[in-house]
Amino acid sequence: MQNRPTIALAMLPMLNAELMTDAHWSRLEALCRVPDREALTTFAEPRAFDLLAQAEILLTGWGCPMIDTHVLDQAPQLRAVVHAAGTVKQHMDPVCWQRGIAVTAAAAANAVPVAEYTLAAILFANKRVLRLQQRYREAREFRWWPMEFPRLGNYRKVVGIVGASHVGRKVIELLRPFDLSVVLYDPFVDATAAAALGVRKLELDDLMREADVVSLHAPALAETRHLIDRRRLALMRDGATLINTARGWIVDHAALEEELRSGRIDAILDTTEPEILPAESPLYELPNVFLTPHIAGSMGVETQRMADLALDEIERFVKGKEFRYAIRAEDLARIA
Amino acid sequence: MQNRPTIALAMLPMLNAELMTDAHWSRLEALCRVPDREALTTFAEPRAFDLLAQAEILLTGWGCPMIDTHVLDQAPQLRAVVHAAGTVKQHMDPVCWQRGIAVTAAAAANAVPVAEYTLAAILFANKRVLRLQQRYREAREFRWWPMEFPRLGNYRKVVGIVGASHVGRKVIELLRPFDLSVVLYDPFVDATAAAALGVRKLELDDLMREADVVSLHAPALAETRHLIDRRRLALMRDGATLINTARGWIVDHAALEEELRSGRIDAILDTTEPEILPAESPLYELPNVFLTPHIAGSMGVETQRMADLALDEIERFVKGKEFRYAIRAEDLARIA
């Protein structure tokens, strides 16, 4: 390609190493001029000033510093920001859209591992696999386990999806091969759109009552603060499971802790509030809680799926096409 | 229906209660004459003599006593045995086939939950989710987890399936939506048949070497005794996971215990040898072992899927059709 646009990278260096294999670098350098492979971690240093002055595209990732008016003023050639991760809100000031910068992100690619984690969690939750593992370790003898866990199993159970986000939709898609019925709460999805997704639309309270597993996929917005509160947790069926791979923000954690201490419901939590729980939190020890350290999103080799999507988007841009996953100013209010 | 054949049930009473909902009973009684809803647990009692004398069909389940020459002699009307569970070998003497009894079983329905458990186990294994859960509980602080678990994640990993049984095939089918490549070892499947399944056929040693997850779905036969021995376990990649939802019989457990103690590989074991491990077994405590008490098969509400399949087969029989899942004498040597 003759007029390869110039690109600069900005993200955590450890991520940069994981994200880009040799094949990714070859592809990037065939598409763009890459004056420096080392990702920027700050825009306030001489190397950054030099790269920003030339960059037509910024390839960003986790840990990218804020792109605000000041940064944009130093980047007069900048026409596009391609984010090789999920959310752009933490590093992109709304002024980027006012300046006409084209923006895209790998939220769709990042949704895949979250949906995969969620699918595995749903299948294990209905079957009470995580509980049975603990009980077996305690008992170390034969038991007729269904007696201890009534309605155990994945057959004609109801899965409640809260939020038809990228992840929520991917979970719905992945659930199709199973004998489970899926209900959805999402105020932006009407009954026709829900039917097209193959799910039944419910109000949130009804979903909390009906579902054997409630899985949260709503964004952290002012309106979703403690969406799952004490009253709604109390609506859940005995023996149901709450799965949170979205954000701790959505759930009233004092109420959740109380409900979990009672042992009435189970929880599989990849996200909590705070993000890393204090060492004395009972959630680490409760037998009905399965806790992971916010790892459902892209990790390890999964970051390469985001790099693949980012490179696809860069290729579209270089060829003068629109981004497939363009993020517009008006999207910001409803996305994560 | 006018000439409803007479049916008798033989299985564990607790299973009988779980298996048959009111809807199942209604359907069964529309198809057959059911002189006694209570399942037989022995054929050596007056109630059994009476039911066997009339029965044209036996609906069997787990815990059905052996059907041998002596039992057949008491059941002169018997034309079919419909087994609402996976394997018929434990309760059906080969003489049943010599006498021309039509036989079917719900192995295909029982395969579904095993395949679902396996799918969830594979997704969690590649992502090292079960390990991360333990490490987070220990550390209770932020870590860059991919550093501890290299190549973590579900992207372009290799899943090795040992045995294209009902379960093995269902796992292959369920793995299609994921960015994982599947390799298969099965001496009865040639390369063309493997390609039709969308998998690459490998010799077992090569599969052990290449796969990030090795999942066992071979039957317990003389030829599969310790198929996974010390030498083959040593071929597995560092950080790979062995999943066994088939039978402990297939794996040399002394060698497995040694390999797991070293921490080099992980294991997710639903079946072991012996079936319930002795209380002092280190497998209960090793951080790289996830142990469940043989629950991957149909449990709780999942037994209703087997009842649905059994009723479909009874309906075919009553209408004069062949069984969909007929088991023939010549099948016995290669199935579980």
Side-chain angles (χ1 to χ4, degrees), chain B:
Chain B
M1 222 162 289
Q2 287 190 307
N3 289 309
R4 290 177 304 159
T6 300
I7 196 164
L9 285 75
M11 63 186 77
L12 289 177
M14 49 177 58
L15 177 71
N16 194 16
E18 211 168 57
L19 193 77
M20 301 286 286
T21 64
D22 288 347
H24 290 104
W25 282 117
S26 302
R27 190 175 165 205
L28 184 64
E29 290 181 336
L31 291 166
C32 299
R33 199 173 69 82
V34 186
D36 192 342
R37 280 194 181 192
E38 198 185 323
L40 296 167
T41 54
T42 170
F43 293 131
E45 56 161 6
R47 192 169 70 90
F49 306 150
D50 177 49
L51 286 170
L52 286 174
Q54 315 168 52
E56 290 157 84
I57 309 174
L58 267 179
L59 174 57
T60 64
W62 289 322
C64 175
M66 178 59 80
I67 305 171
D68 55 15
T69 308
H70 185 69
V71 173
L72 292 178
D73 287 345
Q74 294 178 287
Q77 317 289 327
L78 189 67
R79 290 183 291 138
V81 174
V82 175
H83 188 53
T87 174
V88 297
K89 288 187 185 176
Q90 273 130 46
H91 69 286
M92 294 193 67
D93 190 285
V95 73
C96 295
W97 283 268
Q98 290 161 25
R99 298 269 185 109
I101 309 283
V103 181
T104 183
N110 194 42
V112 175
V114 183
E116 289 169 349
Y117 175 111
T118 305
L119 173 68
I122 291 168
L123 294 173
F124 271 6
N126 274 327
K127 187 83 178 220
R128 313 297 290 270
V129 171
L130 303 166
R131 303 297 305 275
L132 286 164
Q133 180 257 347
Q134 292 165 328
R135 291 290 300 118
Y136 180 36
R137 182 180 279 205
E138 285 163 19
R140 303 191 181 195
E141 63 182 22
F142 176 81
R143 299 275 176 91
W144 190 260
W145 298 106
M147 295 280 283
E148 265 188 59
F149 298 102
R151 298 185 67 249
L152 171 169
N154 281 290
Y155 194 55
R156 301 186 176 168
K157 291 285 191 76
V158 177
V159 179
I161 301 291
V162 178
S165 57
H166 275 298
V167 177
R169 282 164 196 266
K170 184 75 190 169
V171 173
I172 290 168
E173 181 190 319
L174 290 179
L175 282 171
R176 277 193 199 121
F178 304 95
D179 293 320
L180 301 169
S181 66
V182 181
V183 295
L184 170 69
Y185 166 72
D186 188 318
F188 296 100
V189 174
D190 63 21
T192 314
L197 289 169
V199 302
R200 192 159 49 92
K201 182 179 156 73
L202 283 184
E203 289 307 313
L204 183 52
D205 286 2
D206 294 327
L207 180 147
M208 299 301 290
R209 269 185 214 103
E210 280 193 31
D212 295 292
V213 175
V214 174
S215 191
L216 306 180
H217 304 290
L221 305 172
E223 305 89 291
T224 59
R225 179 69 185 162
H226 289 189
L227 183 68
I228 308 300
D229 57 11
R230 187 176 308 269
R231 186 184 63 80
R232 287 195 167 123
L233 287 168
L235 296 177
M236 289 180 73
R237 299 180 69 121
D238 288 353
T241 301
L242 180 74
I243 299 176
N244 194 358
T245 56
R247 283 292 181 274
W249 170 272
I250 303 168
V251 181
D252 176 345
H253 274 59
L256 177 64
E257 198 181 298
E258 236 174 80
E259 196 67 79
L260 289 170
R261 272 179 194 274
S262 81
R264 201 182 66 79
I265 61 168
D266 292 354
I268 298 177
L269 306 174
D270 186 53
T271 52
T272 52
E273 195 175 64
E275 183 87 327
I276 304 290
L277 290 170
E280 67 279 10
S281 167
L283 301 186
Y284 285 113
E285 299 289 352
L286 284 172
N288 50 334
V289 180
F290 183 82
L291 202 61
T292 53
H294 201 165
I295 50 89
S298 304
M299 285 250 145
V301 297
E302 290 162 350
T303 58
Q304 292 162 24
R305 187 190 277 113
M306 299 196 296
D308 287 335
L309 185 147
L311 284 162
D312 290 348
E313 290 290 64
I314 291 169
E315 184 170 337
R316 294 178 73 92
F317 184 81
V318 170
K319 292 182 173 168
K321 295 183 190 166
E322 297 240 311
F323 285 137
R324 181 165 173 207
Y325 298 102
I327 297 173
R328 293 178 186 84
E330 59 267 29
D331 298 330
L332 295 175
R334 55 164 195 84
I335 64 173

Side-chain angles (χ1 to χ4, degrees), chain A:
Chain A
M1 219 162 292
Q2 288 192 308
N3 288 309
R4 290 176 306 158
T6 300
I7 195 163
L9 285 75
M11 63 185 77
L12 290 176
M14 48 176 62
L15 177 70
N16 194 16
E18 208 168 58
L19 192 76
M20 301 285 286
T21 63
D22 289 346
H24 290 105
W25 283 117
S26 301
R27 189 173 166 206
L28 184 64
E29 290 181 336
L31 291 166
C32 299
R33 199 173 69 82
V34 187
D36 191 341
R37 281 193 181 193
E38 197 186 326
L40 296 168
T41 55
T42 170
F43 293 130
E45 56 162 6
R47 194 169 69 91
F49 305 150
D50 177 49
L51 286 170
L52 286 174
Q54 316 169 51
E56 290 158 85
I57 309 174
L58 267 179
L59 173 57
T60 63
W62 289 321
C64 175
M66 178 60 79
I67 306 171
D68 54 15
T69 308
H70 185 68
V71 174
L72 292 178
D73 287 345
Q74 295 178 288
Q77 317 290 327
L78 189 67
R79 291 182 292 137
V81 174
V82 176
H83 188 54
T87 174
V88 297
K89 286 187 185 177
Q90 273 132 44
H91 68 285
M92 294 193 67
D93 190 286
V95 74
C96 295
W97 284 268
Q98 291 161 25
R99 298 268 184 108
I101 309 283
V103 181
T104 184
N110 194 41
V112 175
V114 183
E116 289 170 347
Y117 175 110
T118 305
L119 173 68
I122 291 168
L123 294 173
F124 272 5
N126 273 327
K127 187 84 179 224
R128 312 300 289 271
V129 171
L130 303 166
R131 302 298 304 276
L132 286 163
Q133 181 256 346
Q134 293 165 327
R135 292 289 299 117
Y136 179 38
R137 182 179 279 205
E138 286 164 19
R140 304 190 181 196
E141 63 182 23
F142 176 81
R143 298 277 176 89
W144 190 259
W145 299 106
M147 296 281 283
E148 265 188 57
F149 297 103
R151 298 185 67 252
L152 169 168
N154 281 291
Y155 194 55
R156 301 190 175 164
K157 291 286 191 71
V158 178
V159 178
I161 301 291
V162 177
S165 57
H166 275 298
V167 178
R169 284 165 195 265
K170 185 75 191 169
V171 173
I172 290 167
E173 183 191 317
L174 291 179
L175 283 170
R176 275 192 201 123
F178 305 95
D179 293 321
L180 301 168
S181 67
V182 182
V183 296
L184 171 69
Y185 167 73
D186 188 319
F188 296 100
V189 173
D190 64 21
T192 315
L197 290 170
V199 302
R200 192 158 48 93
K201 181 179 156 73
L202 284 183
E203 289 308 313
L204 184 52
D205 286 3
D206 293 327
L207 179 147
M208 299 300 290
R209 270 187 212 102
E210 281 192 32
D212 295 291
V213 176
V214 174
S215 191
L216 305 180
H217 304 289
L221 305 171
E223 306 89 291
T224 58
R225 179 69 185 159
H226 290 189
L227 183 69
I228 308 300
D229 58 10
R230 186 176 307 270
R231 187 183 64 78
R232 286 194 168 124
L233 287 168
L235 296 177
M236 288 178 74
R237 300 181 68 124
D238 289 354
T241 301
L242 180 74
I243 299 175
N244 193 0
T245 56
R247 283 292 180 276
W249 168 272
I250 303 169
V251 180
D252 177 344
H253 274 60
L256 177 64
E257 197 179 299
E258 237 173 79
E259 195 68 78
L260 289 170
R261 272 180 194 274
S262 81
R264 201 182 67 78
I265 62 168
D266 293 354
I268 297 176
L269 306 174
D270 186 53
T271 52
T272 52
E273 196 176 65
E275 184 87 327
I276 302 292
L277 290 171
E280 67 279 10
S281 168
L283 300 187
Y284 286 112
E285 299 289 352
L286 284 171
N288 50 333
V289 179
F290 183 83
L291 202 61
T292 53
H294 201 166
I295 50 91
S298 303
M299 285 250 145
V301 296
E302 291 163 349
T303 59
Q304 292 162 23
R305 187 190 277 112
M306 300 195 297
D308 287 335
L309 186 145
L311 284 163
D312 288 347
E313 290 290 64
I314 291 169
E315 183 169 340
R316 294 179 73 91
F317 185 81
V318 170
K319 291 181 173 168
K321 294 183 191 169
E322 296 241 309
F323 284 138
R324 180 164 172 205
Y325 297 102
I327 298 173
R328 294 180 184 82
E330 60 268 31
D331 298 330
L332 296 175
R334 56 165 194 83
I335 64 174

